[in-house]
Amino acid sequence: MHLGSFEEKRRRLVEKLEREGYIRSERVKKAMLRVPRELFVPEELRHMAYEDTPLPIGHGQTISAPHMVAMMTELAELEPGMRVLEVGAGSGYHAAVIAEVVAPSGLPRDQWGHVYTVERVPELAEYARRNLERAGYADRVTVIVGDGSKGYPPAAPYDRIIVTAAAPEIPGPLIEQLKPGGRMVIPVGDRYMQYLYVVDKLPDGRIKTRSVTPCLFVPLIGEHGWREYEY
Ligand code: SAM
């Protein structure tokens, strides 16, 4: 692999995220080293795939910045074998990173977990599906078209829920679909002020929330999110 190749750029980005404290575990590091982000961005932006910045993916949406993917994945404390719901598939990149942790390429398939990712824009769901297939994640990630603010009841309950669009408040159905002992990572707020929250459902069913950092996401549009006109 010659210097400046995607693989080399990926390695340098991962090292930078590690130095900056966004990547803290071997698991997340390995996952981000494996998933080719260049396959999840539009062709004409591939040269920017390893800049630490969000990039447009069409329909007014973005693929999140790598440091945000790293931070949310670390906060989720994923383990191999877990069942995860992602709300907001977008490009499919974050779902692939999650899949690399819960169903790592080296692990026997019968020990794999699974990622369900919901996307409200049908064209983006198709885009995510294509990207995931090309990158080799089709059998570890299921892409669903729909309103993820309602969760995805057919595969519930989930060990982890990761929401990649900002909600006005923590959607009730997502709390319901979390296993006792489960965790959700979710941005909450409006276009001016958002915070990333970690929501733990304790084994006895009580809910504990803490805000971690200010952040900036596109809105979660849906029944338990924003109405398009009010955002
Ligand atoms: N995780 C994505 C990735 O790796 O590319 C980035 C997601 S982007 C920041 C947020 C996505 O959430 C957008 O694609 C948007 O269409 C989607 N979205 C917004 N509201 C939604 C809802 N209620 N249900 C499902 N997806 C939603």
Side-chain angles (χ1 to χ4, degrees), residues 35-42 57-59 61-63 86-97 99 115-146 164:
V35 181
R37 192 170 187 259
E38 71 274 14
L39 296 186
F40 292 84
V41 302
I57 53 172
H59 305 274
Q61 305 302 327
T62 52
I63 174 173
E86 182 194 34
V87 178
S91 67
Y93 173 72
H94 199 168
V97 171
V115 185
Y116 297 85
T117 182
V118 188
E119 173 56 55
R120 67 180 279 270
V121 180
E123 292 86 350
L124 284 179
E126 192 44 44
Y127 178 62
R129 214 172 269 137
R130 263 202 324 272
N131 293 342
L132 286 159
E133 191 169 333
R134 249 188 330 173
Y137 294 96
D139 46 1
R140 291 174 257 183
V141 181
T142 304
V143 181
I144 299 118
V145 181
T164 66

Side-chain angles (χ1 to χ4, degrees), residues 197-211:
Y197 279 79
V198 170
V199 180
D200 285 314
K201 190 184 239 184
L202 304 179
D204 63 8
R206 277 181 306 136
I207 301 298
K208 214 178 93 190
T209 63
R210 69 181 162 97
S211 86

Side-chain angles (χ1 to χ4, degrees), residues 162-182:
I162 296 181
V163 183
T164 66
E169 53 193 40
I170 301 164
L174 298 186
I175 292 179
E176 278 160 32
Q177 290 169 38
L178 202 54
K179 283 185 191 172

